[in-house]
Amino acid sequence: MISVQKTNPLYVLNNNSGVYGASAILYKDVLKNFADSLKKDLVIFPASIHEVLLVPYEERMDTKSLKEMVSAINRQEVVESDVLSDNIYVYKRESNSVILAP
């Protein structure tokens, strides 16, 4: 079971156990159904191995600054063994795919 909780404008995606919840992005149609419900592509922030943050994608987003923010948070706030990635990703509804943020 997965859960998506809204903390405006962020959504937290994890599983019910809260352990290794970032894997919920791999569950069949989870990203697709969520993005379709918002009618938006999604930016995926790998907060840790336990959860990812989802934000509706906007063209005007400064993805370079967002990536720098994720990297800084990973170094300062996340236990090294729980770091998933310093990159951010975009889920594209049209192609049902995840790409590295531009």
Side-chain angles (χ1 to χ4, degrees):
M1 195 68 155
I2 62 157
S3 67
V4 178
Q5 304 156 354
K6 183 178 181 183
T7 28
N8 213 7
L10 299 173
Y11 297 85
V12 179
L13 175 65
N14 61 17
N15 58 24
N16 285 341
S17 71
V19 179
Y20 301 113
S23 64
I25 65 170
L26 302 174
Y27 297 173
K28 182 172 174 49
D29 295 331
V30 166
L31 292 176
K32 178 183 182 333
N33 291 340
F34 186 64
D36 285 347
S37 74
L38 297 177
K39 296 178 177 47
K40 292 272 193 175
D41 292 342
L42 303 170
V43 177
I44 303 168
F45 295 89
S48 76
I49 60 174
H50 303 297
E51 65 188 17
V52 297
L53 304 177
L54 304 174
V55 177
Y57 180 76
E58 300 291 337
E59 290 292 329
R60 67 183 185 276
M61 288 181 151
D62 180 359
T63 55
K64 182 179 178 199
S65 293
L66 293 172
K67 182 180 174 188
E68 290 170 0
M69 177 189 71
V70 167
S71 182
I73 289 170
N74 282 342
R75 299 300 158 260
Q76 298 168 9
E77 304 295 330
V78 180
V79 176
E80 186 176 347
S81 61
D82 288 354
V83 171
L84 188 57
S85 174
D86 284 341
N87 289 309
I88 60 174
Y89 304 86
V90 177
Y91 171 76
K92 306 294 272 180
R93 291 174 56 219
E94 187 175 297
S95 61
N96 189 26
S97 61
V98 175
I99 63 168
L100 197 57

